[in-house]
Amino acid sequence: MSVQKSADIGVTGLAVMGRNLARNFARHGHRVALHNRSTARTTALMAEFGHEGAFVPNETMEQFVAALVRPRRIVIMVKAGEPTDAVIDELVPLLEPGDIVVDGGNAHFLDTRRREAALREHGLHFVGTGISGGEEGALEGPSIMPGGTAEAYKSLGPLLESISAKVDGQPCCTHVGPDGAGHFVKMVHNGIEYADMQLIAEAYDLLRHGGGRQPAEIAKIFRSWNGGRLESYLVEITAEVLGHTDAATGQPFVDIVQDRAEQKGTGRWTVQTALELGVPVSGIAEAVFARSLSGSTALREAARDLPGPTETWLDSAAADTFAADVEKALYASKIVAYAQGFNQIQAGSAEYGWQIAPGAMASIWRGGCIIRARFLNRITAAYQADPQLPTLLADEYFREALGDAQAAWRRVVSTAAQLGVPVPGFATALAYYDSLRAGRLPAALIQGQRDFFGAHTYRRTDREGVFHTLWAGDRSEQEH
């Protein structure tokens, strides 16, 4: 292999995400080795985009590996699960100690931990890397969340940083932590994304079915919100979707789309992992359940005739002030959803010894990714001021924002209940907020019940120790 044909980095798996990532590397001056199981995709990329940079196409995995300078840096962009394992199994015998294998798919972080340990035995670096921004982000600059060793990042990091999104001159890419840390953070990112989208959808539903506004009018409201503190990619595209008219029918586009939201599983993983870690992420969980319920067609049809409130609309005067209340409720609920997500990152970091810096995660999410928003600057600043912040809700800015919003927030949730508009995201966010601020929770009664039927014991408020009451006997108390 001549020096001229040596590639800085390789990409195997040239579907849309892999193809765009390879093009992004090439556009930034890196020589990119290409490989795909079907050579047709490699040929198509070269025919359409070969002029964009220095590409080294390869037909076989052996040629692909041979085209790379050492330490070899190889990005796998195939479907998560067995397909990823199959590519790794094919690669490993061809690699040498010190080479770096990057999984850029949406892998489960426990799979990444397993793969990292297995490749470490061969002297190889395995870097599970979260990449957010969709196909456009992959090409124009995504948010990148690589895990793995610090040694691997020293070699790989400059390439990833060069192709990532930039905010205030800073790359939206940083070394997250060891083994599965990168994919863990990407998983939580996606969970937060689920919550954010659900809250936005509820805001739309409230404005339409509570306030009586049409999609085009609601689009204008979202555009105005995007000019303020709610500025974000998701609010921006919401306005675009709501303002779009279906060419075939002349109807608002949102009205011709079936109301069944699909999911690929990362939100569900976030909730399952939160349960295992004992972290309450009720906002994310409600968003996942809301998608599941939307797809439960037979169940919804069977319940279609259930009785509801007789009052289903606000009058026009109330609708005008209601929109301002919804904006505040959306912002407050968004704060709660992000706070829960960052709590999960902190809990996962502690459980697995990753030492993830929450503020750094907020910083790299400011650009490139789906949840990019002005709001993330506030989160970054909060963790810079206090890296050990127990919850975002305790930060001065967010505490004041929640205090300012709470009256409107409560009006929105209560109005939604009166009108029969479902707002599981808004309502659970408010319940979480009130649970945290409560001086005493009814969990005391639950623990008393547990002790009654299962002798599960309890702790007292007035002295140390673990106790059990003899409920079936004389109800005297025993210390355990």
Side-chain angles (χ1 to χ4, degrees):
M1 182 181 68
S2 66
V3 173
Q4 286 76 16
K5 293 192 72 174
S6 295
D8 303 312
I9 193 161
V11 179
T12 179
L14 300 176
V16 175
M17 284 291 290
R19 179 188 66 190
N20 283 1
L21 207 62
R23 292 172 59 197
N24 193 349
F25 279 120
R27 287 178 172 187
H28 284 84
H30 306 297
R31 187 179 293 271
V32 186
L34 303 174
H35 173 264
N36 193 76
R37 184 173 55 84
S38 165
T39 57
R41 281 184 171 168
T42 308
T43 302
L45 190 156
M46 291 301 298
E48 193 171 356
F49 305 110
H51 64 279
E52 291 185 340
F55 294 107
V56 184
N58 301 275
E59 293 186 1
T60 69
M61 190 67 84
E62 289 80 5
Q63 292 171 340
F64 174 65
V65 170
L68 292 158
V69 297
R70 294 208 60 217
R72 300 180 181 93
R73 291 164 290 200
I74 297 172
V75 181
I76 299 173
M77 295 298 293
V78 301
K79 188 176 180 181
E82 292 182 2
T84 299
D85 282 326
V87 173
I88 292 170
D89 290 343
E90 188 177 1
L91 271 173
V92 168
L94 304 174
L95 301 179
E96 299 173 79
D99 288 347
I100 302 166
V101 178
V102 181
D103 177 10
N106 267 335
H108 194 288
F109 77 96
L110 292 178
D111 284 341
T112 301
R113 284 172 60 83
R114 168 179 59 80
R115 292 164 180 153
E116 193 276 336
L119 267 65
R120 195 188 323 134
E121 293 183 0
H122 294 276
L124 304 172
H125 297 283
F126 186 77
V127 181
T129 301
I131 300 175
S132 179
E135 57 186 79
E136 180 182 352
L139 181 62
E140 303 295 340
S143 175
I144 308 178
M145 296 152 259
T149 64
E151 181 184 353
Y153 191 78
K154 191 176 297 184
S155 172
L156 180 68
L159 279 78
L160 296 181
E161 290 178 13
S162 71
I163 69 163
S164 73
K166 309 294 188 300
V167 175
D168 299 331
Q170 297 298 310
C172 292
C173 173
T174 191
H175 181 221
V176 176
D179 57 74
H183 275 144
F184 182 91
V185 164
K186 175 57 163 58
M187 175 191 73
V188 176
H189 164 285
N190 284 22
I192 294 171
E193 179 185 309
Y194 274 56
D196 213 341
M197 294 174 71
Q198 175 64 25
L199 293 169
I200 288 170
E202 290 178 17
Y204 152 73
D205 205 24
L206 285 162
L207 294 173
R208 186 164 194 190
H209 297 114
R213 300 175 185 271
Q214 292 302 305
E217 187 180 2
I218 301 172
K220 293 179 181 178
I221 292 173
F222 272 94
R223 287 192 183 98
S224 70
W225 289 353
N226 199 48
R229 60 183 181 175
L230 283 171
E231 179 189 350
S232 67
Y233 174 71
L234 285 172
V235 169
E236 176 187 346
I237 67 169
T238 297
E240 294 300 314
V241 172
L242 290 174
H244 182 57
T245 300
D246 175 53
T249 64
Q251 298 297 310
F253 170 76
V254 72
D255 286 348
I256 60 92
V257 177
Q258 290 187 7
D259 60 339
R260 293 186 292 178
E262 299 178 359
Q263 53 186 308
K264 291 188 175 179
T266 47
R268 184 169 62 250
W269 290 349
T270 305
V271 177
Q272 290 169 338
T273 303
L275 288 170
E276 291 164 1
L277 291 171
V279 181
V281 293
S282 51
I284 298 171
E286 286 292 352
V288 173
F289 290 140
R291 291 199 190 188
S292 298
L293 189 143
S294 76
S296 301
T297 308
L299 180 64
R300 292 174 62 197
E301 187 60 35
R304 192 77 66 193
D305 294 329
L306 289 175
T310 55
E311 182 183 7
T312 56
W313 299 93
L314 294 170
D315 61 41
S316 58
D320 289 337
T321 58
F322 187 58
D325 280 355
V326 171
E327 188 273 345
K328 288 188 174 183
L330 177 57
Y331 192 64
S333 299
K334 183 183 177 85
I335 292 171
V336 168
Y338 280 69
Q340 292 178 352
F342 276 95
N343 283 156
Q344 184 166 355
I345 289 173
Q346 290 170 306
S349 180
E351 174 71 17
Y352 297 106
W354 287 329
Q355 297 185 323
I356 299 172
M361 300 307 98
S363 180
I364 66 172
W365 289 349
R366 293 180 301 162
C369 70
I370 302 303
I371 63 172
R372 60 185 182 268
R374 176 191 296 188
F375 166 83
L376 284 157
N377 289 315
R378 293 288 189 179
I379 298 179
T380 303
Y383 282 113
Q384 286 175 343
D386 183 1
Q388 305 304 317
L389 191 66
T391 171
L392 281 175
L393 277 57
D395 173 74
E396 183 178 359
Y397 169 81
F398 291 116
R399 186 173 63 248
E400 290 180 357
L402 289 166
D404 176 67
Q406 72 161 315
W409 197 5
R410 296 181 194 283
R411 284 194 297 269
V412 166
V413 172
S414 60
T415 300
Q418 290 168 352
L419 298 179
V421 178
V423 287
F426 282 13
T428 196
L430 181 58
Y432 178 85
Y433 173 79
D434 282 336
S435 293
L436 286 186
R437 53 175 291 278
R440 189 163 171 78
L441 293 169
L445 176 58
I446 294 171
Q447 196 60 23
Q449 293 169 331
R450 295 181 75 243
D451 189 59
F452 189 103
F453 65 68
H456 292 298
T457 72
Y458 53 88
R459 296 179 183 275
R460 296 178 61 93
T461 60
D462 55 355
R463 62 180 185 271
E464 294 296 319
V466 176
F467 302 89
H468 167 60
T469 292
L470 299 175
W471 296 102
D474 62 3
R475 301 204 171 186
S476 61
E477 186 176 72
Q478 296 180 335
E479 184 170 5
H480 285 238

